[in-house]
Amino acid sequence: MTPLLDSLVSKMPSLSASDHASVVSLNLFVALLCACIVLGHLLEENRWMNESITALLIGLATGVVILLISNGKSSHLLVFSEDLFFIYLLPPIIFNAGFQVKKKQFFRNFVTIMLFGAIGTVVSCTVITLGVTQFFKKLDIGTFDLGDYLAIGAIFAATDSVCTLQVLNQDETPLLYSLVFGEGVVNDATSVVVFNAIQSFDLTHLNHEAAFRLLGNFFYLFLLSTLLGVATGLISAYVIKKLYFGRHSTDREVALMMLMAYLSYMLAELFDLSGILTVFFCGIVMSHYTWHNVTESSRITTKHAFATLSFLAETFIFLYVGMDALDIDKWRSVSDSPGTSVAVSSILIGLLMLGRAAFVFPLSFLSNLAKKNQSEKIDFKMQVVIWWSGLMRGAVSMALAYNKFTRAGKTDLRGNAIMITSTITVCLFSTVVFGMLTKPLIRFLLPHQKATTSFLSDGNTPKSIQIPLIDQDSFIEFAGNHNVPRPDSIRGFLTRPTRTVHYYWRQFDDSFMRPVFGGRGFVPFVPGSPTEREPPTDLSRA
């Protein structure tokens, strides 16, 4: 045994030396994350700054310091990997978005959100593709085929509305927040689905049949990805409700919730579906059923754990994008033609602004035509905010650009290097410049917003239990005005279809779904349960 221990001890110094650089890099990156959190807190009330811009600027400053220390050889601590982004960083962000979303507002505006997020993204992708096809041919940036132009359209159609969402308050502006938030999630999913479809299709023989097949594949991915997320969420709810892990260990039910959420994303990737859509709807289903089946301490733990993981992942992404923006190898490839790189970046910024306008204002007009209630319509100021919120580009665009125009993180062709540097420039400019102007713009357009929508709270209030999917105003209007058609009547469906759908969903949910999968008000009392601290006599008296 002694010779074996001696050999292990003798090998330890060499192992430590080989891993020393990685340990130093990780230490610095963790320290930078801490700095982002502290500075973000200190600049919370600043008119121009938010946490995303703070992380981005810290990343840029760190990149400059590393460049100086390394004599211009490197600017970042870690090597960018699409796997790191799509497998480890993106899932917690999207899942938390679905888990924390106010479901009443999201599904009340579901049609409008899908119009903006799916149809609007395709329109924006088309506008950008047509624009770059015309302009890039006049610039000496290399040879691109139809697939490259379509991929560029999908890359820059992916928005990043984090800066706007950090300014908006979903209790003060519920309609606007739900539209910006919902469109952002569906937009990311649509962009990735379109990008992957373009990558997998043979575009050299494009005809009507291939175009319809591409469209069919798009809807197939959307539907199956959504169903997979719903199914995974329901399975987690059923298992936790039936086995009730909380009577022995709350750690197990928290761990199971986290693992099932991540499993939904990985299953989607395994079956070549959209992991973004899958994990988003898994988060919605888990918050509606699974979260109410766990103990009270587990509810608090999971709510804050998911939010914390999402926050750290977002900060990590912006911090790294800032450092990677100064990657000397990519900029060296385009150093002989800086004017071309600036022209490409300017063209892309102009096209993404045009692409947003091409669908936000027309689709808002169509959505308003279908709305009877004035409070549900999207006024012009809201349309401007929605248009502005989609001008920022972030990590999804970066990851897709790296996937398309690099091989193992390297760019050999000059045209590919120009596209990578232009993507970095667009992401930096849009996030910093447009992001810094977001707070002043929203305060100018929406100066006085009162919080009048407390019914949107998902707290355990009697009102939210009695009418979980119908807003309070509609309920009062129906109770006090007999001229308002009943939601279960044909006239009610024709005049207010959304309310009718909510009515029948509530009936179905209360009669079939909640008794099987649990949820608020449908979890049976278990003696000794950590959620039930009060004796049964007190509960019955309440």
Side-chain angles (χ1 to χ4, degrees), residues 103-104 241 285-294 299 455-469 509-510 513-515 517-524:
K103 297 179 287 294
K104 301 180 189 72
K241 178 176 180 290
V285 172
M286 276 194 171
S287 69
H288 190 63
Y289 297 110
T290 312
W291 189 73
H292 295 282
N293 296 343
V294 300
R299 294 180 194 175
F455 65 88
L456 292 175
S457 173
D458 285 334
N460 292 321
T461 59
K463 201 165 289 183
S464 65
I465 294 175
Q466 294 171 4
I467 46 173
L469 291 174
D509 193 33
D510 291 346
M513 298 297 289
R514 291 191 181 190
F517 299 104
R520 185 191 292 132
F522 283 83
V523 181

Side-chain angles (χ1 to χ4, degrees), residues 56-93:
L56 199 62
L57 294 178
I58 290 177
L60 277 170
T62 306
V64 172
V65 173
I66 296 174
L67 268 177
L68 295 175
I69 294 175
S70 64
N71 295 322
K73 295 179 180 179
S74 177
S75 67
H76 42 71
L77 302 171
L78 302 173
V79 178
F80 185 85
S81 169
E82 299 99 63
D83 291 339
L84 173 67
F85 174 73
F86 281 109
I87 296 180
Y88 300 109
L89 297 178
L90 191 60
I93 296 174

Side-chain angles (χ1 to χ4, degrees), residues 183-241:
E183 189 224 335
V185 175
V186 178
N187 167 274
D188 286 344
T190 305
S191 299
V192 175
V193 168
V194 170
F195 180 84
N196 290 334
I198 292 168
Q199 296 291 86
S200 61
F201 261 75
D202 181 15
L203 299 173
T204 57
H205 304 289
L206 191 62
N207 51 37
H208 294 293
E209 182 181 349
F212 280 113
R213 193 162 62 248
L214 181 66
L215 187 64
N217 186 50
F218 174 78
F219 286 110
Y220 164 82
L221 289 175
F222 247 88
L223 180 62
L224 258 65
S225 300
T226 302
L227 290 177
L228 178 61
V230 171
T232 309
L234 290 177
I235 290 172
S236 71
Y238 184 81
V239 170
I240 289 178
K241 178 176 180 290

Side-chain angles (χ1 to χ4, degrees), residues 25 29 32-33 36 52 54-63 66 74-82 84-85 89 312-327 330 394-395 398-399 402 409 424 427-428:
S25 297
F29 213 96
L32 289 173
L33 285 173
C36 290
S52 303
T54 302
L56 199 62
L57 294 178
I58 290 177
L60 277 170
T62 306
I66 296 174
S74 177
S75 67
H76 42 71
L77 302 171
L78 302 173
V79 178
F80 185 85
S81 169
E82 299 99 63
L84 173 67
F85 174 73
L89 297 178
L312 286 175
E314 285 182 0
T315 307
F316 185 101
I317 289 170
F318 280 104
L319 183 62
Y320 185 82
V321 168
M323 284 191 291
D324 193 63
L326 299 176
D327 189 349
K330 301 180 182 67
M398 289 279 292
Y402 271 81
I424 293 171
C427 291
L428 281 177

Side-chain angles (χ1 to χ4, degrees), residues 54-176:
T54 302
L56 199 62
L57 294 178
I58 290 177
L60 277 170
T62 306
V64 172
V65 173
I66 296 174
L67 268 177
L68 295 175
I69 294 175
S70 64
N71 295 322
K73 295 179 180 179
S74 177
S75 67
H76 42 71
L77 302 171
L78 302 173
V79 178
F80 185 85
S81 169
E82 299 99 63
D83 291 339
L84 173 67
F85 174 73
F86 281 109
I87 296 180
Y88 300 109
L89 297 178
L90 191 60
I93 296 174
I94 302 299
F95 176 81
N96 185 65
F99 194 75
Q100 304 285 357
V101 67
K102 289 185 181 294
K103 297 179 287 294
K104 301 180 189 72
Q105 273 292 332
F106 180 81
F107 285 105
R108 187 181 299 120
N109 302 301
F110 186 74
V111 175
T112 306
I113 288 171
M114 292 304 295
L115 274 176
F116 286 161
I119 306 300
T121 302
V122 174
V123 172
S124 179
C125 177
T126 304
V127 171
I128 295 172
T129 300
L130 292 175
V132 296
T133 303
Q134 295 298 318
F135 288 109
F136 282 13
K137 289 179 179 178
K138 300 177 182 178
L139 300 173
D140 182 23
I141 60 173
T143 304
F144 290 143
D145 56 23
L146 178 61
D148 295 326
Y149 290 127
L150 288 170
I152 292 171
I155 289 169
F156 289 98
T159 65
D160 192 338
S161 54
V162 171
C163 292
T164 306
L165 291 174
Q166 288 176 351
V167 178
L168 291 175
N169 187 310
Q170 59 180 330
D171 290 322
E172 295 178 356
T173 54
L175 172 61
L176 182 59

Side-chain angles (χ1 to χ4, degrees), residues 469-509:
L469 291 174
I470 300 180
D471 60 87
Q472 190 181 26
D473 293 337
S474 298
F475 181 79
I476 294 173
E477 180 185 12
F478 173 73
N481 187 356
H482 297 290
N483 293 325
V484 177
R486 294 180 57 85
D488 56 347
S489 65
I490 297 177
R491 181 170 166 239
F493 175 74
L494 294 176
T495 54
R496 293 190 175 182
T498 304
R499 193 182 66 165
T500 301
V501 171
H502 286 172
Y503 172 83
Y504 282 110
W505 163 251
R506 182 161 59 92
Q507 300 296 318
F508 176 76
D509 193 33

